[in-house]
Amino acid sequence: MTEIRTIGVIGLGAMGGGIAQLAVEAGYDTIGREVSGELAEAAAGRIGHFLTRKVEKGQLEQADRDVAVARLTTTTELDALAGCDLVIEAIVEELEPKRVLFAELDGICRADAILATNTSALSVTEIAAATARPERVVGMHFFNPAPLMPLVEVVQAELTSPETVESAAAVGARLGKEVVRCHDTPGFVVNRILIPLLNDCLRVLDEARVTPEALDSAMKNGAGWPMGPCTLVDLVGIDVHVHASEALHAQLGEPRMAPPERLVEMQREGKLGRKSGQGFYSY
Ligand SMILES: NC(=O)c1ccc[n+]([C@@H]2O[C@H](COP(=O)([O-])OP(=O)(O)OC[C@H]3O[C@@H](n4cnc5c(N)ncnc54)[C@H](O)[C@@H]3O)[C@@H](O)[C@H]2O)c1
């Protein structure tokens, strides 16, 4: 197994920020890459803030918080990730930008470094094919919010080596996650089931003419869901859910996988959920 000491995280949004937080807490030297210094600093500030909250709640010692924060550096330069043993990508859920990035990383990172994608529903095999090291490319699919959700799916693409899978699984375990290994099928395990189900829920909004509050109440109180579907899609991000639905639909073709028109409109209007301040609910 490859020994992982330094982790690069690309894209410090909802997912990458959470993954970087997990990495510094677990003792990895971590380099986060964003597209601008402003976004990188804001993400580092959020991670510091979340760790301070853990100290206030008695979940973390102040000294451990400070050491963890010091393990994080941020950059806008991809070259700064040259020394990483593992790079986890968490940028926009679109195939081409991910393939371009993986091709660049392939030229920058050591030949034995592992490149992982946090994609929700794109083909890890297609992303890996943009590199000359597909045996060192793997899916590491975390859930939102990454510091709190216990699962990581470790996805073996067509050419991923068993050793790469085991190295990624070992990192997942050290980050405190329950690891489920699976093969590279559209949506892997959870999203193959959850995305069409959430789309069904959102179509029911119009069919049954209920409000988001009523739908959320129905699924919480009638189906025992911990969180209603509208609240969940707001948390995921309307854009992320639309892209993941499109990816699943393109690969498997089931009509219920296509994003509901209402969501596509919300995306067009910039109502992206929690991150934009407005989705099914206002934040
Ligand atoms: N939101 C979720 O619930 C969720 C859950 C699991 C997986 N994912 C997946 O994680 C990935 C990221 O999703 P997110 O919700 O964090 O999105 P997000 O929009 O919150 O964050 C994406 C970040 O990536 C940055 N970025 C874009 N291109 C970049 C590049 N080339 N280099 C560096 N940074 C770049 C953007 O500036 C942005 O800050 C997607 O593939 C998504 O499908 C999302």
Side-chain angles (χ1 to χ4, degrees):
M1 269 202 310
T2 308
E3 198 190 339
I4 309 293
R5 291 204 179 116
T6 304
I7 295 183
V9 180
I10 306 194
L12 298 174
M15 293 307 297
I19 294 166
Q21 180 186 326
L22 284 169
V24 293
E25 283 190 86
Y28 293 106
D29 289 328
T30 305
I31 307 173
R33 194 252 181 154
E34 254 298 343
V35 289
S36 73
E38 235 171 46
L39 283 173
E41 271 166 40
R46 279 195 302 276
I47 292 168
H49 170 74
F50 287 137
L51 292 176
T52 299
R53 290 271 303 276
K54 286 186 82 167
V55 174
E56 286 163 3
K57 289 185 199 157
Q59 298 167 346
L60 188 67
E61 294 296 325
Q62 179 70 43
D64 293 336
R65 180 247 175 231
D66 295 343
V67 170
V69 166
R71 285 193 193 107
L72 177 70
T73 53
T74 60
T75 181
T76 56
E77 303 298 324
L78 209 55
D79 288 350
L81 278 72
C84 291
D85 306 305
L86 165 69
V87 177
I88 304 176
E89 166 274 317
I91 69 165
V92 60
E93 181 71 353
E94 289 179 50
L95 186 58
E96 264 327 292
K98 288 195 196 282
R99 282 175 53 90
V100 168
L101 180 65
F102 273 70
E104 285 177 330
L105 283 172
D106 194 32
I108 289 170
C109 296
R110 282 195 328 267
D112 65 340
I114 294 176
L115 308 180
T117 174
N118 184 47
T119 181
S120 301
L122 295 170
S123 158
V124 180
T125 302
E126 284 183 54
I127 295 168
T131 74
R133 64 174 88 191
E135 73 288 351
R136 314 281 299 158
V137 179
V138 66
M140 287 185 78
H141 183 221
F142 293 85
F143 290 78
N144 190 5
L148 300 182
M149 293 293 282
L151 182 65
V152 62
E153 293 171 336
V154 172
V155 184
Q156 179 164 14
E158 248 168 54
L159 299 176
T160 312
S161 70
E163 195 236 329
T164 299
V165 170
E166 288 320 308
S167 299
V171 171
R174 184 162 150 197
L175 297 181
K177 298 299 167 199
E178 285 296 321
V179 177
V180 169
R181 296 171 182 74
C182 63
H183 285 269
D184 187 21
T185 53
F188 319 129
V189 176
V190 172
N191 279 343
R192 167 66 180 80
I193 297 162
L194 191 58
I195 288 175
L197 185 57
L198 284 173
N199 286 342
D200 282 345
C201 288
L202 301 175
R203 290 190 175 97
V204 165
L205 272 178
D206 297 315
E207 289 165 14
R209 281 175 274 161
V210 289
T211 61
E213 289 84 351
L215 176 64
D216 281 359
S217 170
M219 292 309 288
K220 282 197 297 187
N221 297 305
W225 284 26
M227 177 188 285
C230 297
T231 306
L232 178 55
V233 174
D234 269 0
L235 176 68
V236 166
I238 306 296
D239 53 337
V240 172
H241 183 83
V242 165
H243 282 135
S245 296
E246 285 169 348
L248 210 54
H249 185 240
Q251 293 171 86
L252 294 177
E254 277 185 34
R256 49 198 289 270
M257 290 172 173
E261 189 49 38
R262 174 196 272 259
L263 276 195
V264 177
E265 257 170 49
M266 286 171 74
Q267 185 190 10
R268 229 180 274 131
E269 291 165 3
K271 295 179 181 165
L272 304 183
R274 230 170 230 282
K275 66 177 148 190
S276 72
Q278 182 65 50
F280 288 103
Y281 299 99
S282 299
Y283 299 91

